[in-house]
Amino acid sequence: MRFIQSISKALLLMAMAMCAQNSFSQDFTSVDTLKFYDALQFRMINKGWNNSETPYFRVPAYLKDSCRTTLYERLRCTSGEGFRFRTNSRCVAARYNLLTNMHMAHMADTGIKGADLYIWDEDDQKWQFVNCNRPVRDYSWKPGTPRKDSIQTKVYVDKLDGKMHEYMIYLPLYDGVNWFEIGVEKGAKIEMPKMNNPRKGKKFVFYGTSIMQGGCACRPGMVATSILQRDLNIECVNVAISGEGKMDTYMARALAEIPDVEAFIIDPIPNCTKNMCDSLTYGFVNILRQARPNVPIIMVEGPMYSYAKYSSFYGKYLPQKNYEFHKNYLKLRAENPKNLYYVDCENLWGPDNEGTVDGIHLTDIGFYWYAQKLKPYLKAIMNGKPVPFQDKVNKPYQEIK
């Protein structure tokens, strides 16, 4: 009798637990249980221009006919861009259509074409990473043939508490999107963010190469511009172009059109030859100075690749490029020292060689150190204080023959 009573009690508890689970949480393993909303209904962040060919391209549409095809195509990537929203849904998901569904050997697909979710943690008062999707690759595709429609879907998290929370989603670093949707449970509220983070208003604008674009972060939130955006609570516009950050005149003119710029950060040396660093730097920076004389400009030196110390060629060539870049900085500063600053390459991606995946492009560790290197300069500009570490760089470098 006692045994039967024990079994009955156990069955009753199991039934109550199942009822509670069905009443208070749902297993969102199928996106059919969700309602999706066009992300453009919410706040888009870290975008420079509002006259792009699509809302997701990072460059003005008029440049399509006046710049190199490869440059324009690579600025269709959504690096740095994201969305802010709030919802009381017990589940948050995303669904989006990739532009190219590309793949690279040295960078994780989660960074190339993934999208990751952050939540504002009320206890820690900071953004906390939640999850990133694992993009589906079309292994059957062959060059020269049409690609299949590459729709990516991810349920980031479920069984949340049903309270209103603030969220942020970052878009792919090395691919673009045709459209992007945010999914929540049916009946849940989803709306514009209430919290002003990143702060609306002035923004930092970054111009550079594949490194600054995000190669080779493991996921979008780990690119340096997004790390700085979260740490400094300010929008950071990523106008870095893989292989094409070559200080083109039309790019300087386009950058000068971006409204409400706190500072321009210029980091082009990895895509430039020694002669380009000598002949293009002055004109590129001077266009920005003439068009926006009151906006600070930070010139960032090129990194020393991990193998430079051991290479008889790169051990000389990389410092020579920096020498030419720095020489033009001194020339510009001699003409007008106001609002012009310089960052040297010392520990640019960390105190050792672990910050890079292939000797050039960065790991997440490298992006962390890169952001830490720039942060004191950016904070000083934001707070109206003297920019640090300028005494050393305001002296001529010794030329390396």
Side-chain angles (χ1 to χ4, degrees), residues 30-53:
S30 171
V31 294
D32 296 334
T33 63
L34 305 177
K35 182 176 181 180
F36 284 86
Y37 296 81
D38 186 345
L40 294 172
Q41 297 180 47
F42 310 106
R43 182 188 170 191
M44 194 174 193
I45 59 173
N46 303 331
K47 186 170 170 61
W49 297 270
N50 58 10
N51 57 344
S52 50
E53 187 177 351

Side-chain angles (χ1 to χ4, degrees), residues 325-354:
F325 191 67
H326 183 258
K327 181 180 70 176
N328 280 275
Y329 161 74
L330 292 179
K331 181 180 178 181
L332 288 158
R333 190 176 184 279
E335 293 177 356
N336 178 13
K338 183 181 178 182
N339 287 329
L340 186 64
Y341 307 102
Y342 196 88
V343 179
D344 65 28
C345 67
E346 185 178 357
N347 292 335
L348 189 59
W349 56 30
D352 53 35
N353 283 350
E354 301 299 341

Side-chain angles (χ1 to χ4, degrees), residues 4 19 31 35 62 68 78 80 128 146 175 217 232 264 268 336 349:
I4 295 174
C19 289
V31 294
K35 182 176 181 180
Y62 69 79
R68 293 183 298 280
T78 48
Q128 294 283 12
D175 205 333
L232 299 177
F264 293 105
N336 178 13
W349 56 30

Side-chain angles (χ1 to χ4, degrees), residues 268-308:
I269 293 182
N271 282 169
C272 296
T273 64
K274 173 186 172 183
N275 289 337
M276 291 167 70
C277 291
D278 180 26
S279 61
L280 300 180
T281 301
Y282 178 89
F284 185 89
V285 175
N286 203 42
I287 288 172
L288 290 175
R289 299 194 89 189
Q290 295 297 321
R292 306 291 288 275
N294 296 320
V295 177
I297 298 172
I298 300 175
M299 298 170 61
V300 183
E301 216 165 65
M304 293 296 105
Y305 303 158
S306 62
Y307 47 77

Side-chain angles (χ1 to χ4, degrees), residues 19 41 51 54 61 81 161 173 194 293 298 320 343 376 378 394:
C19 289
Q41 297 180 47
N51 57 344
T54 81
E81 294 177 347
D161 57 15
L173 294 173
K194 185 176 181 180
I298 300 175
Q320 286 172 345
V343 179
L378 304 183
N394 286 340

